[in-house]
Amino acid sequence: MELTLCCPTLFGLEGIVADELRFGGSLSDVQAENGRVLFAGDENTLAWANLHLRCAERVLIRLGTFPAKTFDQLFEGVRALPWEQFIPRDGVFPVKGHSLNSALHSVPDCQKIIKKAVVARLGACYHQSWFEESGAKYQIQFAIMRDTAELFLDTSGAGLHKRGYRASSNAAPLRETLAAAMVKLARWRGREPLVDPFCGSGTIAIEAALIAQRRAPGLLRSFDAEKWGCIDASVWRQAREDALGMTDGSARFDIVGSDIDPACVQLSRENARKAGVAGTVFFEQKDALARDYAGGGTLFANPPYGERLLDVQAAEELYVRLGKAVGDSPMKQYILSSDPLFERCYGRKADKRRKLYNGMLKCELHMYFKHSPSRTAKPSVQK
């Protein structure tokens, strides 16, 4: 069946997800918009996207869009959509969503109207007035923006950033989709060493290993649409077989993560084991300021921002000391921070910056890839 698919993304990652679809999925009809990417495909595309996309948050089927200034318009618009093509008699179909800058601003009321309209449509198709909802889950999502409603079915279930290898994390975890995006922005492919001196729960190093081994990030988890009767089980079976066939699990790369906290190091090792890359990533306890950065390769870092770990003053002092420790290193450096004074503290203006969001926190990825033997002096942070 021909489907219009939609992948919500963290702000700043739309272009990366669009490229994943164009080059990895060989799709041509791809449109990147604010906070999402739209594309066309069938059930095979849907399965591929869930298994392979590294930087998208989930995969949705867009069923339709229509004006919705009144509850009557919302009801009729929802009832006109072909819900019976997806939701069976015993399907579970909860409703969630949001409304912004619209006359229909009450989300609970919108949920009730949408649920009622779907029941009306399915009731007419199945000739029944009561739905037990005891089968597979078909999560309905809606978005009402400027009096225009969009209706979706969520095929992923849990967000795609939940790969299945990180059951627990440290106090300030980096979302897996953002970690993968950092590696992709650096165009790191495993040909040179990679170091993460603030590894936390190991996310950047593990995502880098998954990318280098061409291991699909969704292989260790399941998706809601795998239980849908409207998609043949052979579609998912073939998609997983193809993904496994692409994986080069025997390949080894020079990937090192370290942290001053031994609990983080142990957690990272356990997560790498669960991800299937324990033989590819090495984790050690080490102070980031005591590392030797004289060699080549790429440095990725998500140091404390002063939001959840350390206070702002302590975080900025850390940036100053890290800048001095890295010094004239020939390493390419990709450092994520929400502090607008990061470059001043680090002692060097980035060659390029990229606005990204770590959850709801606005950050910038500071990219240093033009080696300069003479760095500017590192100022101290004023107390």
Side-chain angles (χ1 to χ4, degrees):
M1 70 182 89
E2 285 300 311
L3 303 169
T4 297
L5 300 168
C6 175
C7 285
T9 73
L10 295 174
F11 285 108
L13 303 190
E14 301 92 343
I16 298 176
V17 173
D19 285 345
E20 286 188 281
L21 291 163
R22 291 188 185 108
F23 301 117
S26 301
L27 302 179
S28 56
D29 188 11
V30 179
Q31 304 170 46
E33 302 179 354
N34 284 338
R36 69 181 191 176
V37 179
L38 296 169
F39 57 105
D42 57 15
E43 55 267 37
N44 296 296
T45 311
L46 183 156
W48 179 92
N50 272 296
L51 281 165
H52 288 271
L53 290 178
R54 299 184 188 278
C55 303
E57 291 304 304
R58 55 185 66 246
V59 181
L60 310 175
I61 299 173
R62 187 171 78 163
L63 290 185
T65 179
F66 51 85
K69 290 186 177 181
T70 67
F71 285 126
D72 284 343
Q73 282 186 314
L74 180 62
F75 181 89
E76 295 300 333
V78 172
R79 187 170 63 170
L81 300 177
W83 300 102
E84 70 280 1
Q85 292 183 12
F86 302 93
I87 305 176
R89 294 174 183 273
D90 65 345
V92 179
F93 49 102
V95 179
K96 66 180 180 181
H98 62 270
S99 177
L100 294 172
N101 302 320
S102 299
L104 303 181
H105 55 81
S106 171
V107 170
D109 287 338
C110 291
Q111 287 176 293
K112 292 175 185 176
I113 293 296
I114 292 170
K115 182 79 173 185
K116 184 177 178 181
V118 176
V119 168
R121 172 81 183 204
L122 294 179
C125 292
Y126 296 137
H127 306 291
Q128 62 188 70
S129 58
W130 173 257
F131 291 87
E132 188 175 342
E133 298 193 48
S134 58
K137 183 180 179 181
Y138 299 76
Q139 177 68 62
I140 298 171
Q141 289 198 17
F142 69 90
I144 304 177
M145 296 279 289
R146 299 183 182 87
D147 298 321
T148 297
E150 285 186 290
L151 272 295
F152 306 89
L153 280 175
D154 180 4
T155 72
S156 302
L160 294 184
H161 69 279
K162 296 185 177 180
R163 317 289 207 208
Y165 66 75
R166 197 170 75 175
S168 56
S169 60
N170 62 324
L174 183 69
R175 186 167 286 203
E176 292 87 337
T177 45
L178 182 54
M182 290 172 63
V183 177
K184 281 182 164 288
L185 284 168
R187 293 183 172 85
W188 188 85
R189 297 292 185 274
R191 299 186 185 94
E192 57 189 15
L194 182 153
V195 174
D196 176 5
F198 301 92
C199 70
S201 54
T203 310
I204 295 175
I206 292 171
E207 290 296 322
L210 293 175
I211 290 171
Q213 289 190 344
R214 300 194 300 277
R215 189 185 296 267
L219 276 175
L220 295 179
R221 53 161 291 174
S222 61
F223 307 94
D224 277 2
E226 287 187 83
K227 299 177 182 177
W228 293 4
C230 57
I231 300 178
D232 195 280
S234 63
V235 170
W236 290 97
R237 185 166 56 250
Q238 187 62 54
R240 288 186 178 276
E241 287 178 5
D242 292 345
L244 283 169
M246 290 175 57
T247 302
D248 185 3
S250 63
R252 294 294 178 263
F253 305 92
D254 188 355
I255 303 173
V256 176
S258 62
D259 203 285
I260 197 170
D261 185 348
C264 286
V265 175
Q266 183 58 40
L267 179 60
S268 296
R269 289 171 179 163
E270 180 62 16
N271 288 339
R273 184 191 65 78
K274 292 177 182 175
V277 295
T280 302
V281 186
F282 175 70
F283 291 104
E284 62 181 348
Q285 183 184 356
K286 199 173 189 68
D287 186 343
L289 304 177
R291 290 202 68 93
D292 180 5
Y293 297 102
T298 303
L299 182 154
F300 288 94
N302 178 39
Y305 305 160
E307 292 287 335
R308 285 175 287 180
L309 297 178
L310 304 183
D311 57 33
V312 173
Q313 172 116 10
E316 291 181 343
E317 290 283 5
L318 176 62
Y319 301 155
V320 172
R321 296 175 65 195
L322 179 63
K324 291 178 179 178
V326 174
D328 292 331
S329 170
M331 298 186 80
K332 290 178 283 187
Q333 300 150 46
Y334 295 81
I335 305 174
L336 189 68
S337 176
S338 65
D339 192 335
L341 297 179
F342 173 80
E343 290 178 27
R344 177 179 163 188
C345 297
Y346 196 60
R348 182 181 172 192
K349 185 176 180 180
D351 297 315
K352 189 175 180 181
R353 291 182 298 278
R354 176 87 172 231
K355 289 183 180 178
L356 299 172
Y357 279 79
N358 188 1
M360 297 301 293
L361 188 62
K362 184 178 178 180
C363 300
E364 282 193 315
L365 181 62
H366 300 82
M367 296 178 264
Y368 301 88
F369 43 79
K370 299 176 182 177
H371 178 57
S372 173
S374 57
R375 292 166 62 98
T376 58
K378 323 287 186 303
S380 11
V381 178
Q382 296 298 316
K383 300 195 177 198

